Every structure is written in structure tokens, then in C-alpha cells.
Amino acid sequence: MPGPSSPMSRRTALRGAAVAGAAGLGLTACSTESGGAAAPTEPVDLGKADAVPEGGAKLYKDEHVVVSRTENGDYKAFSTICTHAHCPIGMLKGTELTCNCHGSKFDATTGKVLHAPATEPLEELSVKVKSGKLVASPKK
């Protein structure tokens, strides 16, 4: 290791920066803080109800909500705040939600956990259609 007056090689400096950066990213990803993300605490307008496909789901990232629609036209809504470390879920493929932080997976039609580390289902929300628009709100 170079002493206080010895010059450090560029390679050593870059390698140290890469290790420090990776360690910092790892700590950030494992944080239990959601960065202020939370499930809706009051009714939120999600836009046109027909934006959710029959038999599918739509992720509303900014509102932290996922809405699914059955073949019969019934809607279900869930918070997209992961129950493991409270990270906002940002990925939906078909009807499967994946948390970016630790890889927990959830069913967007039931809220159930499909893959750990989460063990608790997503919080179910109330969802209604008003004048052709979806409105999600906390269950009372």
C-alpha cells in the first residue's frame, strides 16, 4: 500500500472508487426507508377506467397503485409499496409485480406474494369507477 507521500496509481484509485460506489449502492438498496413513498391516504383519480385491459393490470407508479381488471369487468386495486422493505414497486409484467429493491414478486390481481423475501400481501385499496374514471382510496 502506498504511504502518505507515495503516489497512488490510477488503477488503484479507480478500483477503490468502484468498491466504495458498489458498497454505497448496496446500502441504499437495503434501506428500509421508502424515500417518502406511501400508499394513497385519500382518494386518487387514476384516469380512464378503460386504460386497464380486461384480464390484465396497469401500474400507476406516481400514485403507488396497481389496478387489475377481470374478464367480467370488475376492478381490484392494491398499494405498490412492498411489504418487505417498503420500497415502491416499479415493474409490472403481465399481472406480476416485481420490487426493484430485493426482488419480491406479487400477483397484481390478488396482492398475494409470489416470491420472497416479502411474506405479507400488498395492501388492498378500494377502487370505484366514477364518470368513466378510476378512483382508488384506502379501505375503511
Side-chain angles (χ1 to χ4, degrees):
M1 188 121 201
S5 62
S6 301
M8 186 184 309
S9 76
R10 182 169 188 258
R11 180 177 294 192
T12 302
L14 291 174
R15 189 177 293 147
V19 169
L25 288 175
L27 292 174
T28 301
C30 288
S31 170
T32 59
E33 296 299 316
S34 63
T41 56
E42 58 187 51
V44 60
D45 183 344
L46 300 173
K48 293 183 178 184
D50 60 7
V52 181
E54 285 186 15
K58 180 169 172 56
L59 177 62
Y60 298 88
K61 285 185 185 181
D62 293 342
E63 293 82 3
H64 305 296
V65 174
V66 66
V67 177
S68 63
R69 184 175 173 192
T70 66
E71 302 280 336
N72 298 336
D74 297 327
Y75 293 91
K76 283 203 129 192
F78 298 92
S79 162
T80 57
I81 301 301
C82 182
T83 58
H84 170 248
H86 309 291
C87 294
I89 297 170
M91 193 164 51
L92 174 67
K93 186 173 183 180
T95 58
E96 184 177 277
L97 293 160
T98 303
C99 181
N100 303 4
C101 288
H102 301 106
S104 293
K105 293 183 186 288
F106 299 89
D107 183 327
T109 65
T110 65
K112 290 183 181 178
V113 176
L114 300 175
H115 186 273
T119 58
E120 297 294 318
L122 294 173
E123 175 188 348
E124 188 170 357
L125 303 172
S126 173
V127 63
K128 295 182 178 169
V129 179
K130 292 184 181 178
S131 303
K133 292 187 175 188
L134 289 172
V135 178
S137 55
K139 281 202 164 208
K140 294 182 180 182

